[in-house]
Amino acid sequence: MLTQSESWTTTTCSGSSPSDDARPSPPHPSSIPLSWPPPNAELTLDWVLSLMSVFDWSSRNLAPSDFPSVLPVSVFDTLVLSASKILHKEPNCVRIDDCGEDSSLVVVGDVHGQLLDVLFLLRDAGFPSQNRIFVFNGDYVDRGAWGLETFILLLAWKVVLMPNRVYLLRGNHESKYCTSVYGFEQEVMAKYGGQGKHVYRKCLGCFEGLPLASIIAGRVYTAHGGLFRSMPITPSKRPKGRKGRRIMLNQDSTTLSLGSLEELCKARRSVLDPPWEGTNLIPGDVLWSDPSMVSGLSPNKDRGIGLLWGPDCTEEFLRNYNLKLIIRSHEGPDAREKRADLSGMQNGYTIDHEVESGKLITLFSAPDYPQFQATEERYNNKGAYIVLQPPDFYTPVFHSFEAVTPRPKVNAYYSYEDVIDSDGELDFSAAAEDG
């Protein structure tokens, strides 16, 4: 079994290009195919480091259809089952309060199946440990060529250091509809063939268990999309002879008000596709909403789901819960190109609102995004991650990094020339019809 020092060298090169030419290509791993530890044996750090080495090597040297020879379905099943048991027990909003004086916390935005960049990020930030906590803000899959490997790797870190050193939150792409449009479903089928449907269903079930948000050290709120509405209900009497109350939802956008953490904790998150209408709108808001420079709350008409919220809402939310910082993700350079009111995403992060109580930050961790693009002109954006340190854990330290180059030549798993670049025009009515 490879040790950490043998497998990886941690380098500090934020803001510079982590070129493959700077380190040798990993040798053929001796641990292929990967096997699960025997009964009564724990999953170890060495096992996860070996998984990283194997995935790095296979992404460069094997065809997608050879993936079962790297990670057999039986090992996948055991890992996903172990992770799902942990995730489904976590609340909608996980509270990370065990941040000691010798600890640091790393927040990561969208990674979208860009495995090599994720491997670099983990080396650059330092691996998860008892003194280094990670919060991943969702969108592990779609767009990139290695969404399956990326998601499996992060689940493995979760299981190894379970449950309080690696937190995996849900993104809008961890859904049935998005993964059928942006390539993850096709990626799984290409890699597992006849067993692909089984693997894909297991992934969807795991997506349903991912928490929606986190509160770090009582001072920082993180979520993929961001803030959410309050869900007032109006009870009305049912006809005689029937028990219970009929719940009527007021959909008048003029009455929208900011939701509470208590409402967030009570929302039903175990849905494959968060609804854009009905009585369970909070999960869709948390995963799909965007900030705006216009005050107030309004429907997010460009996306067809979620909200737009202004600086006044950021101030209200921070003040209500004695918070200093909101870190959200969800918008890459393609989305920000269409948002003239907000800063671009060339450095992997933007500070969108600065209000009396604190700040709102958008964090994006997929450099040179999207990996496949319909136009020849690429964004060449950097990715970034944030480090929060004691004593307050709310002063962000930004680390920008460029994409790993050269990248292995691979084919896209979706028709990127025909599919819109941004998530802003998805047909959610079609999603409902597809079930």
Side-chain angles (χ1 to χ4, degrees):
M1 188 71 68
L2 297 174
T3 66
Q4 178 173 341
S5 60
E6 290 170 333
S7 298
W8 302 96
T9 301
T10 302
T11 57
T12 303
C13 48
S14 297
S16 61
S17 177
S19 171
D20 280 12
D21 297 335
R23 63 183 179 87
S25 178
H28 185 293
S30 59
S31 51
I32 291 179
L34 290 159
S35 59
W36 195 258
N40 301 320
E42 294 183 355
L43 202 61
T44 65
L45 177 61
D46 277 348
W47 191 91
V48 179
L49 296 174
S50 179
L51 180 73
M52 293 174 68
S53 180
V54 166
F55 282 176
D56 190 357
W57 180 85
S58 64
S59 70
R60 304 170 191 275
N61 295 282
L62 297 182
S65 58
D66 291 331
F67 193 68
S69 70
V70 174
L71 190 78
V73 170
S74 59
V75 179
F76 166 85
D77 282 346
T78 305
L79 175 59
V80 168
L81 177 61
S82 300
S84 293
K85 287 180 178 179
I86 299 169
L87 294 168
H88 280 82
K89 291 179 181 179
E90 291 181 334
N92 287 350
C93 183
V94 294
R95 290 187 175 269
I96 307 169
D97 294 322
D98 53 346
C99 303
E101 293 182 357
D102 59 347
S103 299
S104 62
L105 194 143
V106 181
V107 184
V108 182
D110 302 38
V111 295
H112 280 295
Q114 297 185 194
L115 174 70
L116 302 184
D117 300 317
V118 172
L119 295 177
F120 167 77
L121 186 156
L122 288 168
R123 294 196 309 273
D124 194 51
F127 295 139
S129 68
Q130 289 304 310
N131 294 326
R132 187 177 295 110
I133 304 169
F134 273 74
V135 175
F136 292 87
N137 236 4
D139 276 15
Y140 313 109
V141 302
D142 281 343
R143 303 282 199 160
W146 301 285
L148 184 60
E149 289 92 328
T150 298
F151 188 55
I152 289 171
L153 173 61
L154 297 181
L155 289 181
W157 277 110
K158 177 72 176 175
V159 171
V160 168
L161 298 169
M162 66 179 183
N164 59 354
R165 286 299 177 265
V166 176
Y167 293 91
L168 305 178
L169 306 184
R170 187 173 182 177
N172 66 301
H173 277 263
E174 278 73 58
S175 65
K176 186 175 187 294
Y177 183 46
C178 281
T179 54
S180 69
V181 173
Y182 287 104
F184 181 67
E185 180 181 11
Q186 293 85 339
E187 176 191 344
V188 172
M189 296 303 297
K191 290 177 178 177
Y192 275 110
Q195 296 175 302
K197 289 184 178 180
H198 165 81
V199 171
Y200 180 59
R201 285 196 299 269
K202 292 290 186 181
C203 287
L204 292 178
C206 198
F207 292 165
E208 284 188 310
L210 294 168
L212 299 175
S214 77
I215 299 288
I216 300 167
R219 304 295 264 172
V220 180
Y221 170 83
T222 82
H224 182 72
L227 300 188
F228 50 94
R229 76 191 79 191
S230 180
M231 294 295 296
I233 56 176
T234 303
S236 62
K237 294 182 179 180
R238 287 183 179 274
K240 291 183 179 181
R242 299 181 66 181
K243 296 181 179 180
R245 296 183 300 174
R246 182 164 56 96
I247 295 176
M248 302 294 293
L249 178 65
N250 188 339
Q251 296 283 359
D252 185 355
S253 63
T254 62
T255 65
L256 286 173
S257 60
L258 200 59
S260 67
L261 289 178
E262 291 75 17
E263 289 175 291
L264 172 60
C265 291
K266 293 177 181 178
R268 184 170 65 89
R269 77 172 190 254
S270 57
V271 287
L272 284 178
D273 293 298
W276 75 101
E277 60 182 5
T279 61
N280 190 35
L281 298 181
I282 288 178
D285 287 350
V286 173
L287 300 183
W288 284 91
S289 294
D290 295 307
S292 169
M293 296 309 296
V294 178
S295 295
L297 287 173
S298 61
N300 197 334
K301 295 180 180 179
D302 286 339
R303 293 192 186 271
I305 184 173
L307 303 170
L308 294 174
W309 82 90
D312 58 325
C313 298
T314 293
E315 169 62 24
E316 179 184 346
F317 190 79
L318 292 174
R319 186 179 63 249
N320 285 350
Y321 297 102
N322 195 30
L323 300 170
K324 300 295 288 186
L325 198 61
I326 297 172
I327 303 175
R328 47 90 62 175
S329 301
H330 191 39
E331 289 184 290
D334 54 339
R336 281 299 171 94
E337 188 177 52
K338 303 173 183 178
R339 304 285 306 278
D341 58 328
L342 296 173
S343 300
M345 197 54 62
Q346 287 307 109
N347 291 317
Y349 68 92
T350 59
I351 299 175
D352 298 322
H353 295 163
E354 291 193 66
V355 295
E356 181 179 354
S357 295
K359 297 178 182 178
L360 165 69
I361 294 169
T362 295
L363 177 67
F364 196 77
S365 303
D368 194 24
Y369 173 87
Q371 183 176 352
F372 304 102
Q373 193 170 326
T375 62
E376 292 182 2
E377 182 181 355
R378 302 191 60 80
Y379 292 103
N380 295 318
N381 64 292
K382 294 178 181 179
Y385 61 90
I386 289 174
V387 177
L388 303 174
Q389 298 171 318
D392 52 41
F393 288 96
Y394 60 73
T395 302
V397 179
F398 299 97
H399 294 258
S400 295
F401 61 95
E402 295 182 359
V404 170
T405 57
R407 186 165 50 221
K409 294 182 179 179
V410 290
N411 295 320
Y413 291 104
Y414 69 107
S415 300
Y416 63 91
E417 293 181 349
D418 300 323
V419 173
I420 53 178
D421 283 336
S422 173
D423 299 342
E425 303 168 28
L426 293 176
D427 186 355
F428 289 97
S429 61
E433 293 170 2
D434 291 341

